[in-house]
Amino acid sequence: MEGIITLKVSEKLNLINKEIFTACERVGRQADSVKIVAVTKYVSNERTQEAVDAGLIHLGENRPEGFKEKRDAVSGNVKWHFIGSLQSRKVKNVINEIDVLHSLDRMSLAKEIQKRADQKIDCFLQVNVSGEEQKHGLSPENAAQFVEELANYDKINVIGLMTMAPLTEDEEVIRSCFKQLAVLRDSIAAKNLQHAPCTELSMGMSNDFTIAIEEGATYIRIGSSLVGE
Ligand SMILES: *Cc1c(COP(=O)(O)O)cnc(C)c1O
């Protein structure tokens, strides 16, 4: 009988680290300026634990359902990133269980976070750079104004911007999307807002993370090619 060979997370991590290293080298970045968020949304608690044991610290989940159970099942030094779109009515279930939110995209969500969070939480604004209708996120035109409006929300610390590139084979389209996010990040950071240092860029997934790194990603969100079973 032939079995399906599944690589260990540690083996996949070695391969990805090599790709991160060479991508950084191409653009003169330090490899440790890129953090991996291991997206464990599709995998079991056991596989998630394997990721932590392989040394991954940042884990990404995208559904409030089952999140607490997974969090409780996994032990170790973990920072939990919520990367999925978050309905306002579910904020109370997750906001005090996570370390970083990647999907702040509307004022009603900010209001609910302000109401429910026990302490200040690091957030990425999700920006819909590609403009695809089915994608969540603020339009690039509205992002700066949105950040300004968060000044009185003392539970929200805007650490950066997040985007998802369009699903396409066209590398230049993907690259342009990441470039635009970096420009927008820089323009917001330049305002030196106390509530929005906006130094980080969350962009790049399994298929496009090397491009994202070349364009300045500081957090890449990798699921299938890292923890896929
Ligand atoms: C699922 C998901 C990822 C990871 O996708 P892969 O292609 O499996 O690497 C990254 N970011 C978000 C927002 C996701 O929902």
Side-chain angles (χ1 to χ4, degrees):
M1 268 206 342
E2 249 181 293
I4 297 167
I5 297 166
T6 303
L7 290 182
K8 291 187 189 132
V9 174
S10 59
E11 291 167 330
K12 293 187 172 213
L13 179 58
N14 281 338
L15 298 172
I16 287 185
N17 274 334
K18 283 194 188 118
E19 286 194 71
I20 292 174
F21 188 84
T22 50
C24 281
E25 236 180 11
R26 282 197 290 276
V27 292
R29 295 184 60 186
Q30 298 289 328
D32 65 3
S33 66
V34 180
K35 295 187 183 77
I36 301 172
V37 177
V39 177
T40 49
K41 63 188 183 190
Y42 296 130
V43 304
S44 64
N45 293 348
E46 290 69 32
R47 189 73 165 171
T48 304
Q49 185 66 57
E50 198 192 322
V52 176
D53 295 341
L56 289 154
I57 294 166
H58 303 276
L59 300 188
E61 286 286 325
N62 73 336
R63 287 164 59 85
E65 293 74 26
F67 173 68
K68 253 192 212 165
E69 289 74 14
K70 189 173 233 172
R71 208 191 96 134
D72 291 345
V74 173
S75 62
N77 173 27
V78 176
K79 288 210 183 300
W80 292 97
H81 295 245
F82 196 87
I83 62 170
S85 68
L86 185 55
Q87 290 174 279
S88 295
R89 66 191 170 87
K90 300 207 171 140
V91 167
K92 60 178 179 301
N93 302 335
V94 293
I95 201 69
N96 294 308
E97 312 286 331
I98 62 175
D99 299 286
V100 185
L101 177 70
H102 287 243
S103 52
L104 178 54
D105 62 353
R106 59 194 191 277
M107 204 41 81
S108 56
L109 180 56
K111 287 200 171 105
E112 190 63 16
I113 293 169
Q114 179 67 23
K115 192 163 130 193
R116 303 287 185 178
D118 294 336
Q119 50 194 7
K120 197 189 281 287
I121 175 143
D122 288 339
C123 297
F124 285 91
L125 297 192
Q126 183 168 353
V127 182
N128 183 1
V129 179
S130 65
E132 292 164 290
E133 258 173 48
Q134 72 276 19
K135 281 224 166 81
H136 291 270
L138 293 149
S139 72
E141 296 72 35
N142 294 339
Q145 174 67 30
F146 182 84
V147 173
E148 305 263 358
E149 288 168 14
L150 292 174
N152 298 321
Y153 289 69
D154 64 0
K155 298 287 173 53
I156 293 175
N157 184 38
V158 180
I159 61 169
L161 304 182
M162 177 275 216
T163 201
M164 290 170 82
L167 254 185
T168 170
E169 301 277 286
D170 189 338
E171 261 196 30
E172 285 316 308
V173 170
I174 295 170
R175 188 179 297 282
S176 151
C177 173
F178 292 153
K179 264 196 206 317
Q180 289 175 64
L181 195 73
V183 168
L184 189 57
R185 187 271 316 261
D186 291 345
S187 72
I188 294 172
K191 293 173 192 261
N192 286 315
L193 301 168
Q194 217 200 331
H195 68 285
C198 207
T199 50
E200 309 298 325
L201 283 173
S202 168
M203 57 191 198
M205 317 197 330
S206 289
N207 293 327
D208 53 21
F209 73 88
T210 57
I211 304 171
I213 289 170
E214 289 169 5
E215 300 304 330
T218 60
Y219 286 86
I220 54 177
R221 309 179 308 269
I222 309 190
S224 45
S225 67
L226 177 58
V227 295
E229 286 167 304

